[in-house]
Amino acid sequence: MRTLNRVLEGIGSTILLLLRSVAYLPTLPRQFGRFVEQCYLIGYTTLPIVAILSFFIGSVLALQSGYAAQNLGPKQFIGLLVGLTMARELGPVMVAVLLTGRVGSAIAAELASMKVYQEIDALETMNIPPARMLVMPRLAATLFMMPVLTIIADLVGWFGGAIIAKYTSFIAIEPASYFATMRQYMDFDDVLNGLIKAEVFGFVIVLVCCNIGLNTRGGPREIGAAVTRAVVASLILILVLDYFVTKALM
Amino acid sequence: MNNPQQAARVGLFFLLGVALTWVTFETLSGGKILKDDGYRLIAGFETLKELKVGDEVRMAGVKIGDVAHTRLAGRRAEAVLRIASSVKIKSDAHASIIMAGLIGSNYIGIDLGSANAPDLPPGAEIQTRSTPDLNSVMTQIGEMGKKLEAALGNLGGALSGDGQGGPGLLQKVDLLVTENRENLSKATANLQEITAKVNRGEGTLGRMINDPSLHDDLVASIAEIKAGATEAKTFLANAQSIVDEVKAGKGAIGALVFDQKAGDDLKASIANLRAVSDKIAQDEGTLGKLLSDDSILRDAQAIMKKADRALDGMDDTGPITAVGVIANGLF
């Protein structure tokens, strides 16, 4: 009962935080510097790890599907399989997971420490709502950066799969054939589907992490607990939302 | 890090993302922001088989649209086809469901139709043709296999005998060979002997096969026949030229055959000749009498005798007469 109460409280406070943040959206031009800073942290600094991870995810996908197809026959469809999987599923989900680990945890830790050390209270005393200064720029930056990160993840994953498909002896598919099946059977809608999912995931991750950070109570020990809660909640939400968003977009 | 540098990096990063999205979009969707919704046509079939929404519609192998949705209409299935606006389909064109692969992918193929037929308006129904699907083909192959099995069974029964229709063909052949083994051995031995003789060049056939002089003779004969044929050809050519000249009315025969006047003259001459011969036969005229009356012959003979005697007398008085003549001449 207590746990349920906490979950409901968490959902309610997150929705309220969302509404407050959206209400402060017109103040974005005045906070452009903060917005750019968050874009830099969320997007630019996350790019290397996203690229490395996507390359290997694409490679492993090609390798596994090639291994499965070597006895079955239709190896030329590896390109399609890697393309669709990266664009519709693994691209957005892996970017969301990386965002949770790298950015979500940092947001939760930063806001939790501000809360614990009463900086949030100080802001409120100065009539500076934390939703306006701390949450809204992060949300806007996430909305801006998630599609960019996701499209890069998709393309790097596709190329990773193409390289592995060419140079693995039991697959040995030319990149031209690999990309031809992708172009023949894929549509931009598939990529767009993934970008929409990534937007939803990023928005929810940042909102949940901000909410958990802002609602931290107690001493410095709670900062670590808040980060753990934020990461766990974000990961669960990513996978749960993944199902529903996929279903909704079909 | 100062803000302008951070802003520049973020801006570059964002532009990179936009550029990559645009490249992906251009590659996968051909750069059309608003999809060409095209126009719809309805294709009714007995069964849509494995046709699904989104499957391609192709004309002469080129994708011109896709299947917008499928529905059951009364006692038939209908596929609503979304055709690109730029493509016009003729009213006598036929649509058929074509299997693209063994893994169940299908598409709708539309033929070109005739060039002067009117275009189908949007929402119209296109004529369809049913094609056999994999299952019906497999069923037919199964039936064919059964028939083949039965035919092979019959053949096997006929060859080896099934115990009902008496001994089989193989048993009969076996029996025939067993019964005639001695004769067959003799026949084989004879055949062997004959071939050995032929091989040694004995007998007519052996000589024909083994003697090279026969070949030479044959070649010489053929050469003679060839020469004869050449001469015959020349002769025929000459005969042909003669016939041509005769046909052209040249020469005596030509004139005779083709000149009407000469023919008439000839007829008249023959008629005259006949009249003369008739008169001779009837002993008319001098010639007739000469031929039929032998008294003339006798008279002639008597005359000849008299003349002979006269000539003999002249021989004796010859010199005297000659002197007399000379004297007359001198005096």
Side-chain angles (χ1 to χ4, degrees):
Chain A
M1 193 67 195
R2 202 175 152 192
T3 313
L4 183 68
N5 198 32
R6 277 176 58 192
V7 170
L8 289 174
E9 190 190 335
I11 293 171
S13 61
T14 307
I15 291 169
L16 285 174
L17 183 64
L18 168 67
L19 294 175
R20 279 201 294 270
S21 303
V22 171
Y24 290 123
L25 200 62
T27 65
L28 186 64
R30 280 190 284 146
Q31 303 188 67
F32 189 71
R34 215 169 278 132
F35 166 74
V36 170
E37 189 186 346
Q38 290 303 323
C39 282
Y40 183 79
L41 287 172
I42 292 168
Y44 191 82
T45 57
T46 317
L47 177 66
I49 194 168
V50 163
I52 292 168
L53 205 76
S54 304
F55 181 85
F56 284 102
I57 286 173
S59 308
V60 167
L61 264 177
L63 206 61
Q64 291 282 28
S65 51
Y67 176 76
Q70 66 174 336
N71 294 324
L72 196 64
K75 285 199 291 188
Q76 69 272 26
F77 289 109
I78 288 173
L80 176 64
L81 192 136
V82 174
L84 273 180
T85 314
M86 282 305 297
R88 295 184 70 102
E89 190 59 43
L90 285 181
V93 168
M94 290 318 295
V95 168
V97 169
L98 284 177
L99 196 79
T100 304
R102 199 178 180 286
V103 177
S105 59
I107 292 172
E110 187 185 345
L111 295 190
S113 65
M114 284 176 81
K115 179 73 179 176
V116 167
Y117 296 113
Q118 297 175 340
E119 288 177 34
I120 303 289
D121 296 336
L123 284 173
E124 282 175 343
T125 309
M126 289 187 284
N127 202 21
I128 301 170
R132 190 185 77 189
M133 201 180 96
L134 301 175
V135 181
M136 195 273 291
R138 285 185 166 88
L139 279 177
T142 309
L143 288 179
F144 243 68
M145 288 296 112
M146 274 307 270
V148 180
L149 284 174
T150 310
I151 194 80
I152 290 172
D154 288 350
L155 289 171
V156 172
W158 292 351
F159 279 97
I163 291 168
I164 293 300
K166 180 174 168 59
Y167 291 107
T168 305
S169 59
F170 61 84
I171 305 176
I173 294 175
E174 285 298 314
S177 167
Y178 175 94
F179 285 112
T181 49
M182 206 185 275
R183 285 180 65 181
Q184 190 177 356
Y185 293 103
M186 271 183 74
D187 200 17
F188 187 70
D189 287 352
D190 297 315
V191 178
L192 197 65
N193 194 304
L195 297 185
I196 293 168
K197 275 165 88 168
E199 287 281 29
V200 173
F201 295 157
F203 194 77
V204 168
I205 291 163
V206 171
L207 199 62
V208 166
C209 290
C210 285
N211 189 51
I212 290 175
L214 287 175
N215 287 312
T216 308
R217 287 187 187 90
R221 231 171 63 180
E222 287 300 312
I223 298 170
V227 170
T228 307
R229 273 206 312 277
V231 169
V232 170
S234 297
L235 290 178
I236 291 170
L237 275 172
I238 287 168
L239 296 177
V240 172
L241 277 174
D242 187 27
Y243 173 79
F244 288 106
V245 176
T246 305
K247 188 93 177 156
L249 290 174
M250 271 184 175
Chain B
M1 191 178 285
N2 57 18
N3 266 348
Q5 197 178 356
Q6 201 176 52
R9 286 184 180 182
V10 170
L12 188 70
F13 183 65
F14 184 71
L15 287 177
L16 174 73
V18 171
L20 289 177
T21 310
W22 180 253
V23 167
T24 314
F25 175 63
E26 280 281 341
T27 309
L28 295 179
S29 290
K32 287 178 189 165
I33 292 172
L34 292 172
K35 271 191 176 175
D36 176 18
D37 203 37
Y39 62 97
R40 312 290 167 111
L41 290 178
I42 296 161
F45 293 95
E46 271 182 36
T47 166
L48 292 179
K49 298 168 192 169
E50 297 290 325
L51 196 74
K52 298 180 293 295
V53 171
D55 281 345
E56 291 184 356
V57 176
R58 295 188 199 171
M59 179 178 262
V62 180
K63 185 183 174 186
I64 56 163
D66 56 10
V67 178
H69 66 269
T70 56
R71 63 190 178 206
L72 201 60
R75 293 187 57 78
R76 69 171 194 169
E78 280 183 355
V80 179
L81 314 179
R82 181 167 41 212
I83 309 291
S85 324
S86 56
V87 179
K88 300 293 174 207
I89 293 175
K90 300 294 179 188
S91 59
D92 60 349
H94 287 83
S96 48
I97 299 170
I98 296 168
M99 198 168 66
L102 287 174
I103 52 171
S105 54
N106 285 288
Y107 66 90
I108 287 202
I110 299 178
D111 59 34
L112 295 167
S114 56
N116 49 4
D119 295 334
L120 278 174
E125 185 168 345
I126 186 169
Q127 297 178 64
T128 57
R129 243 184 228 137
S130 63
T131 49
D133 64 350
L134 190 64
N135 289 331
S136 64
V137 171
M138 293 306 267
T139 311
Q140 282 181 355
I141 289 174
E143 284 173 7
M144 212 163 75
K146 279 181 191 168
K147 284 179 184 171
L148 197 65
E149 200 179 331
L152 286 174
N154 291 339
L155 190 66
L159 286 175
S160 58
D162 52 3
Q164 294 170 357
L169 190 65
L170 289 177
Q171 278 100 334
K172 285 178 182 172
V173 170
D174 188 41
L175 194 69
L176 191 75
V177 170
T178 312
E179 283 177 355
N180 296 288
R181 181 170 290 164
E182 202 178 334
N183 293 337
L184 281 172
S185 298
K186 280 181 184 170
T188 312
N190 290 341
L191 205 62
Q192 208 169 0
E193 199 181 333
I194 290 165
T195 51
K197 279 183 179 175
V198 167
N199 205 23
R200 285 197 298 273
E202 293 175 9
T204 312
L205 198 62
R207 281 182 194 163
M208 274 178 76
I209 290 170
N210 291 310
D211 193 355
S213 64
L214 275 173
H215 170 261
D216 297 341
D217 291 349
L218 195 65
V219 170
S221 305
I222 289 168
E224 282 177 12
I225 290 167
K226 258 186 184 173
T230 312
E231 283 175 10
K233 205 173 170 183
T234 314
F235 174 75
L236 283 173
N238 292 339
Q240 184 64 42
S241 67
I242 290 166
V243 168
D244 289 343
E245 284 186 358
V246 167
K247 276 185 180 173
K250 292 178 184 171
I253 298 173
L256 199 65
V257 174
F258 291 98
D259 191 348
Q260 188 60 42
K261 188 176 174 294
D264 292 345
D265 290 349
L266 188 66
K267 273 183 192 173
S269 303
I270 290 168
N272 290 340
L273 198 61
R274 192 172 176 178
V276 170
S277 64
D278 285 348
K279 281 181 179 173
I280 291 169
Q282 288 162 10
D283 302 337
E284 287 178 9
T286 314
L287 206 55
K289 282 176 181 169
L290 194 66
L291 287 175
S292 56
D293 192 357
D294 55 351
S295 62
I296 296 171
L297 181 63
R298 282 193 297 272
D299 292 346
Q301 279 177 338
I303 290 166
M304 288 304 285
K305 279 178 184 173
K306 283 177 183 173
D308 191 37
R309 277 196 303 272
L311 282 171
D312 286 344
M314 276 181 80
D315 284 343
D316 299 336
T317 57
I320 302 163
T321 309
V323 172
V325 169
I326 293 166
N328 277 333
L330 291 174
F331 306 103

